[in-house]
Amino acid sequence: MSSQPASRRTLLCCAALAGAAGLGAAACSPDGSDQKASSTPTAPVELGSAGVVPVGGAKIYREQRVVVAQSAKGEFTAFSAVCTHAGCVVDSVEDGKINCPCHGSQFDARTGKVLQGPAEKPLPSIPVTAKSGRLVAGPDA
């Protein structure tokens, strides 16, 4: 084995790999400590027409990581679409249940409460309003 010092290129490559591994670990943090900062919008987000959210149902906005439910005509609630168990984005709403594809957690689409684990914490609530027929979610919505 050679006792020559590592090249600059080798050191930079290793530093980049270590940084990427750290980001991956933070994204999958099961306690939610690192995912909370990014699990809800930090600024108002335009979601589009309020008419696409069914009355008595919910719609997932994957790109914005938001789930919006409409319990009665014009009554909207919103939650983070990031599962509180391992940080996966939920993928479907069926029979009033928000489903996480990673480990089978289910949440109530009206309240965000856990219906089935392994998740133990409810989905964080997000302010949402309908302005001129358009949904806006996030702070100051």
Side-chain angles (χ1 to χ4, degrees):
M1 194 162 183
S2 173
S3 62
Q4 292 180 349
S7 72
R8 181 171 190 251
R9 182 178 191 173
T10 301
L11 289 174
L12 290 173
C13 183
C14 290
L17 288 174
L23 286 174
C28 294
S29 174
D31 69 359
S33 59
D34 291 315
Q35 74 187 28
K36 268 198 179 188
S38 64
S39 69
T40 61
T42 57
V45 177
E46 168 98 18
L47 299 175
S49 173
V52 300
V53 180
V55 175
K59 177 174 175 32
I60 298 170
Y61 296 87
R62 285 186 62 81
E63 289 288 315
Q64 296 83 1
R65 297 180 173 214
V66 175
V67 178
V68 177
Q70 185 174 194
S71 56
K73 182 130 178 93
E75 293 181 19
F76 297 96
T77 53
F79 306 96
S80 170
V82 178
C83 181
T84 56
H85 172 247
C88 298
V89 177
V90 298
D91 70 344
S92 66
V93 179
E94 297 171 12
D95 299 323
K97 298 174 187 170
I98 300 168
N99 301 297
C100 180
C102 294
H103 303 104
S105 292
Q106 291 184 328
F107 303 89
D108 186 305
R110 292 172 294 124
T111 64
K113 291 183 180 176
V114 176
L115 297 175
Q116 175 179 304
E120 295 178 357
K121 296 178 184 177
L123 295 173
S125 181
I126 299 172
V128 63
T129 58
K131 298 178 181 176
S132 303
R134 313 273 305 159
L135 291 173
V136 177
D140 302 322

